[in-house]
Amino acid sequence: MVRFSPPYPDGLPVGAAVQAWTPCPQNSVITFPYDGTEIASAPQGSVDHAELALAEAAAALAVTSRLGTGTRRALLMDIHAALSREAAAFVDLLVLETGKPLVDCRTEVQRTLATWSAAAEETARIQGETVSLDLQPQGEGMLGYFTRRPAGVVVGIAGFNYPLLLASHKLAPALAAGCPVIIKPSPDTPLTTLWAVHLIRMVLESHRVTPAAVQLVTGGPDVGAALVNDPRVAVVSFTGSAAVGHRIAKAAAPRKTVLELGSNTGLIVAADAVLDDAVDAVIRGGFYANGQACISVQRVVLAESIADEFERRLLARLPEVVVGDPRTETTRVAPLINTAAADRVLGWIKEAVSAGARLVAGGGAEGRSISPTVLADVPHDCSVWSEEVFGPVVCLERVSGLAEAIETVNDSRYGLQAGVYTASLRQAFQAIEQLDVGGVVVNEIPGFRSDIMPYGGVKDSGIGREGPRFAIEEFTVTRMAMIRP
């Protein structure tokens, strides 16, 4: 195992110059989840670092808010180019720090690059409107319009599972909107984000824009609290668990929060579905990223008439989900991020079986690598059904028809994304209209996400929308003007 040598200065990128990285007295060891080997040591930030980042970002607002559209677009395109040049190396580092299979890390880098290019194009679409003030008698002869302006300092807090992509979902639209941004990566996976921010700050400096526009602070909950609670922050964008998201929303109030939280994604397979396609969706969508994805397939709701055949075909294909070294091309499931995560998932499986669920396949583990697991007839009060499992586990449930299937999927405190397989356009639109989620995917895995669509959930799955165009709207505020000539 080769130790990773960070291609950026020691310390944290806090300050107005690329060279002025702030040293950290403490470091944390980042290990490869597959075998526990040390990859690198990462600087461990503190509340003092958070305070410095806030001061630098607040001062940078005067610069970023006045950047022209052409300058912001050029910045984003050059950042895209800088990240693209290192794409292969980013893939390798993501495998090492997240433990995700190689194929999933390649997808993460591709989506990251798409996010930056899409954000660059959206800079030209930050527009206002003219308004007919003469709808009211008092407005006769007046001119009204509004524009969109940078909201202010953005704080982005990202989860461990897609560190480069989730950071980019906050960094790219913030810069596109003209906002300074402070990113806080997960303590488990800071390395790719540190490297990306170093490259971004180099691009900013090459355009003679203060690198203070992009700050990064590592650390634990105390650092996050210092960032979220500060009145200089205009928007907090968080990706992570519902419990933490709730605390952030309370702490940040009344300032805006964009929360992309958890889910227990439902996939409906109707009686008229093409079964091989639906089975393929579970194979592809239930276990990718080791199941550590907020929209991986968790609850598969089957029409009674096809349930037995679906289960038979799923079991026949389950050996394709190879467990192994994430650096290997054929691996589809590798170790979870840490021992606590693996123990929790195994505990939830055991709880379900003890409560009467049928273990169809898997259920075991080798170290932190959990076998692809299929459960059936899980009581709905079991955690593996009602909560976000964040592991390679899917649950099968039988229902009488589409109406009951929709009711079953909706019976959850979450509502991020869901899917339906059906040959009927009528049933597809029924699902789209009646599923209480932020997005419905028809005849494709529910984990399909377009980074140019308004992505986000309802209920405990969060508030606000991501995707460059929609995140830019979240990171801007309207300013109205009413003029009597």
Side-chain angles (χ1 to χ4, degrees):
M1 187 73 187
V2 179
R3 194 174 186 277
F4 170 70
S5 298
Y8 47 79
D10 292 334
L12 291 174
V14 174
V18 172
Q19 293 81 8
W21 285 47
T22 302
C24 292
Q26 295 183 314
N27 290 281
S28 59
V29 174
I30 308 300
T31 59
F32 183 30
Y34 180 67
D35 60 13
T37 305
E38 180 180 338
I39 305 167
S41 60
Q44 189 169 339
S46 65
V47 170
D48 288 342
H49 290 113
E51 293 292 340
L52 177 58
L54 287 161
E56 293 280 354
L61 178 60
V63 176
T64 60
S65 63
R66 290 198 296 265
L67 293 175
T69 301
T71 300
R72 283 180 280 117
R73 183 181 185 279
L75 276 171
L76 291 162
M77 290 304 298
D78 284 354
I79 291 168
H80 173 276
L83 298 175
S84 183
R85 285 191 292 270
E86 303 292 347
F90 271 120
V91 169
D92 291 341
L93 180 54
L94 283 168
V95 172
L96 294 180
E97 78 168 334
T98 68
K100 287 189 312 194
L102 182 63
V103 63
D104 297 315
C105 293
R106 286 189 184 130
T107 299
E108 178 172 356
V109 172
Q110 291 166 359
R111 288 182 58 194
T112 296
L113 295 175
T115 294
W116 284 95
S117 60
E121 296 306 316
E122 289 298 331
T123 56
R125 303 187 182 98
I126 304 174
Q127 300 165 343
E129 293 181 22
T130 57
V131 181
S132 300
L133 296 182
D134 58 0
L135 284 172
Q136 298 173 275
Q138 302 93 323
E140 288 284 351
M142 292 185 69
L143 170 68
Y145 68 91
F146 67 84
T147 57
R148 301 200 73 90
R149 302 181 62 81
V153 175
V154 173
V155 165
I157 302 176
F160 71 83
N161 53 334
Y162 282 81
L164 182 62
L165 179 62
L166 296 179
S168 295
H169 282 166
K170 290 117 178 47
L171 291 165
L175 289 176
C179 297
V181 56
I182 305 168
I183 194 76
K184 182 188 177 298
S186 165
D188 291 312
T189 55
L191 299 177
T192 46
T193 314
L194 277 161
W195 186 12
V197 166
H198 176 57
L199 294 175
I200 291 166
R201 286 164 63 92
M202 289 178 67
V203 172
L204 288 168
E205 196 163 64
S206 73
H207 282 260
R208 298 182 180 178
V209 175
T210 174
V214 176
Q215 311 281 332
L216 182 148
V217 185
T218 57
D222 58 335
V223 173
L227 295 171
V228 167
N229 288 316
D230 196 281
R232 288 169 290 187
V233 173
V235 186
V236 177
S237 177
F238 170 75
T239 303
S241 71
V244 176
H246 291 178
R247 291 199 294 271
I248 286 174
K250 291 176 182 178
R255 289 161 294 129
K256 183 187 288 188
T257 54
V258 180
L259 305 175
E260 197 269 275
L261 308 178
S263 193
N264 54 354
T265 303
L267 171 63
I268 296 170
V269 184
D272 63 351
V274 178
L275 284 193
D276 284 339
D277 291 349
V279 167
D280 185 67
V282 176
I283 293 294
R284 290 185 294 122
F287 307 106
Y288 74 98
N290 305 329
Q292 296 174 131
C294 54
I295 47 177
S296 63
V297 175
Q298 184 171 332
R299 299 177 298 155
V300 184
V301 183
L302 306 164
E304 180 70 44
S305 61
I306 52 90
D308 288 338
E309 182 62 16
F310 181 94
E311 184 177 314
R312 185 189 69 78
R313 297 189 193 190
L314 179 63
L315 285 177
R317 289 198 56 188
L318 204 59
E320 297 174 22
V321 187
V322 177
V323 181
D325 187 329
R327 295 166 293 187
T328 303
E329 289 280 354
T330 56
T331 295
R332 293 297 177 268
V333 169
L336 298 189
I337 190 66
N338 53 44
T339 301
D343 289 345
R344 176 188 55 77
V345 173
L346 289 171
W348 285 9
I349 295 170
K350 183 178 179 180
E351 174 201 34
V353 172
S354 297
R358 178 165 54 93
L359 183 63
V360 177
E366 183 176 340
R368 301 205 303 257
S369 296
I370 295 176
S371 305
T373 298
V374 179
L375 296 164
D377 309 320
V378 178
H380 290 188
D381 59 351
C382 288
S383 297
V384 76
W385 177 272
S386 62
E387 295 299 326
E388 182 178 47
V389 66
F390 234 56
V393 181
V394 297
C395 304
L396 308 182
E397 176 80 350
R398 299 166 184 241
V399 295
S400 59
L402 185 64
E404 186 182 355
I406 292 171
E407 182 181 352
T408 299
V409 171
N410 284 344
D411 184 20
S412 170
R413 70 187 184 103
Y414 297 110
L416 188 51
Q417 202 149 288
V420 59
Y421 270 76
T422 177
S424 163
L425 194 59
R426 180 187 61 80
Q427 291 198 124
F429 278 107
Q430 183 180 347
I432 291 168
E433 290 298 319
Q434 296 179 9
L435 283 168
D436 192 12
V437 293
V440 178
V441 184
V442 179
N443 293 335
E444 184 50 86
I445 61 170
F448 177 79
R449 174 177 173 180
S450 169
D451 292 296
I452 59 173
M453 289 285 276
Y455 176 78
V458 298
K459 300 188 284 190
D460 273 1
S461 287
I463 188 170
R465 292 296 180 262
E466 290 189 337
R469 172 186 168 187
F470 306 96
I472 289 169
E473 291 184 1
E474 301 284 4
F475 297 164
T476 55
V477 291
T478 58
R479 179 173 294 174
M480 65 178 183
M482 294 172 286
I483 306 167
R484 186 175 295 281

